[in-house]
Structures are given as structure tokens and as C-alpha cells.
Amino acid sequence: MTDSTLQTPDSLHRRYNQVRDRIRQAEAHCRREPGSVQLLAVSKTRSVDEIRALAALGQRLFGENYLQEAVSKMAQLEDLNLEWHFIGRIQGNKTRRIAEHFHWVHSIASLKHATRLSEQRPAHLPPLNTCLQINTSGENAKDGYSGNELMERLAAYAVLPNIRVRGLMTIPAPAGNESARRQPFHQLRTLRDRLRTERLPLDTLSMGMSDDLEAAITEGATMVRIGAAIFGPRQY
Ligand SMILES: *Cc1c(COP(=O)(O)O)cnc(C)c1O
């Protein structure tokens, strides 16, 4: 029996290079500066050994969805200087540990959670970098603000002392063709352009995953969140 979660260092290296090539090509294609898009490696369900192998290839930014799993991995990888991004759904009773352990949170969709994260951010750490999540697909079941909701609340976010609002994030519904794929990313960028001010430059657009990173980069993504294309298909 073969186990598709087992991978050789070679296949990881090959996939990682492929993803980096895709990003470089997309940057070049829309005349964006090489290196203007950061790669966040999404390592949920992946082992500490896989993360270590990817870090050895030069990857520094890692995204995790589940707090318990993430904190355990961080403890085992303390010797590496990795930057950890929380991209999962936030539960109210877990904000303290998120505030204590992460450098970034991409999935903020509640002022209450953000207020707690700010209050619970340890004093010896710099402010927590955050993205506010926008529901670009209009599905009720999805987390995230509509553009109008966020416009009303942004001022309240901007004054939280230990939170730095860096930008917006979205997880669009899967789409079949290129123009449908680009639409939610275009919407996120337009919203960002409307909301940004000198005091709140919103320099980050966290958008694009394994299947749609080109569309996201074309529309201005500054950080793409890639799991399967680097590590192979996930098995739960
Ligand atoms: C899992 C996940 C990703 C990565 O998805 P892939 O399709 O594996 O690239 C990106 N963003 C979020 C919020 C995720 O939960």
C-alpha cells in the first residue's frame, strides 16, 4: 500500500520550486515587481518533519488553522526562526493563546475577538499583525464582513493598541473559469483601495490558494496562502 502523505524530500523540493515559479511568472505576467508577493506555506495537518524540511529550503512563513496543533508544532520548531500566521476560524475562548503565540492573524471577522486579542497580546511582543476577513461570495455560511459592514467598523479596529490592521483577507468559493476566479479578488482589492488612508495604509491583500494564485496575483495579492500545491493533497 502506498501512502500519499509520505513524500520524499525530492518531491517536496520539486513542488516548492513549482509554486515559487508560478508566483514569479504571475508577477512577471502582470508587471509586478519580482518578490512583491509573499508565500505563506499552509501547514495544517502536516508533520513537524515536513515543516522542518520546507524550512531547510528557505521557507519562513507558515500558516496554521488549528490552535492546539499549531502550538504543539511551534514548541517543536522553536530552534527555527519561523513566522507563524493564524488563518483558521477564531473561537472566542482561544484568543489568549492566539495572541501569545502568533505573529499574524488573517481571519478576524469580529470586533469582539479583535478587542480581546489586543487586550491579551503580551506586553513584551510587538503588536499583532492582522487582516480582516471579507466574505466576497455573499454566502451566509461563510465568515467575514461585507464591504459595508467593515466600512462602519474599521475606525474601531484602527484604535486597538496592540493590533495592527495590515489589510484584508478572503476565501472565495471555488470558481470554474479565470474571470470568475478573479472577480472576488478584484472586489477585495477595490475595497482595500477605498478603505485605505494615510494612517491605515492596508498594505496587505491575503488572497490566493493552490488553485487560484495566478488570478489573485493579477488582482494585487501581496500574500498567497498555499498548502496542497507545496505539500501534496491533504488527508484528514
Ligand atoms: C487550507 C487553507 C489554505 C490552503 O489551501 P490549499 O488549497 O491547500 O492551497 C489557504 N487558506 C486558508 C484559510 C486555508 O484554510
Side-chain angles (χ1 to χ4, degrees):
M1 206 177 87
T2 59
D3 179 355
S4 66
T5 62
L6 268 182
Q7 55 185 330
T8 63
D10 271 359
S11 66
L12 184 70
H13 200 169
R14 184 173 45 74
R15 285 203 202 89
Y16 185 51
N17 282 341
Q18 275 170 0
V19 167
R20 285 197 296 188
D21 285 347
R22 283 175 64 191
I23 293 172
R24 291 295 161 269
Q25 278 169 23
E27 284 169 344
H29 185 72
C30 53
R31 301 208 162 86
R32 294 187 50 191
E33 198 152 324
S36 55
V37 179
Q38 285 191 295
L39 171 55
L40 179 64
V42 175
S43 48
K44 61 175 174 239
T45 78
R46 312 298 176 171
S47 70
V48 166
D49 288 342
E50 286 173 288
I51 296 175
R52 207 171 264 288
L54 195 62
L57 299 175
Q59 179 62 29
R60 236 193 107 234
L61 277 49
F62 287 88
E64 289 279 346
N65 294 60
Y66 310 107
L67 181 63
Q68 203 58 38
E69 176 190 340
V71 171
S72 148
K73 289 173 179 174
M74 287 175 191
Q76 298 171 73
L77 294 163
E78 233 170 2
D79 56 308
L80 304 177
N81 183 27
L82 303 179
E83 186 177 284
W84 293 98
H85 295 234
F86 189 80
I87 61 172
R89 176 179 279 217
I90 298 172
Q91 290 173 279
N93 59 350
K94 305 231 165 118
T95 52
R96 180 175 301 280
R97 296 189 79 212
I98 294 173
E100 287 170 350
H101 288 280
F102 284 86
H103 302 90
W104 279 74
V105 177
H106 290 231
S107 42
I108 293 190
S110 144
L111 184 58
K112 197 172 92 194
H113 291 165
T115 304
R116 283 204 204 149
L117 288 168
S118 180
E119 285 167 2
Q120 294 167 340
R121 182 69 168 170
H124 69 278
L125 295 178
L128 186 62
N129 290 300
T130 60
C131 292
L132 306 179
Q133 185 170 346
I134 304 295
N135 180 350
T136 47
S137 56
E139 293 169 74
N140 283 333
K142 283 234 171 131
D143 287 332
Y145 285 115
S146 71
N148 288 335
E149 284 168 345
L150 183 60
M151 237 177 293
E152 286 166 16
R153 290 172 179 76
L154 192 61
Y157 278 102
V159 298
L160 295 174
N162 300 319
I163 293 270
R164 188 169 291 149
V165 180
R166 296 291 300 272
L168 306 180
M169 178 273 224
T170 195
I171 310 172
N177 63 51
E178 176 70 10
S179 90
R181 275 204 280 272
R182 279 174 60 171
Q183 197 278 332
F185 299 140
H186 184 77
Q187 196 184 323
L188 198 72
R189 188 218 182 107
T190 306
L191 180 64
R192 189 279 308 268
D193 291 348
R194 226 167 34 181
L195 295 176
R196 77 198 307 189
T197 59
E198 216 165 293
R199 266 196 60 239
L200 206 61
L202 303 178
D203 55 34
T204 302
L205 284 174
S206 167
M207 57 191 200
M209 316 203 309
S210 291
D211 292 334
D212 55 16
L213 71 88
E214 285 84 2
I217 290 173
T218 304
E219 294 295 344
T222 64
M223 212 184 282
V224 291
R225 309 180 307 266
I226 311 296
I230 296 176
F231 291 107
R234 267 184 300 279
Q235 297 194 331
Y236 287 96

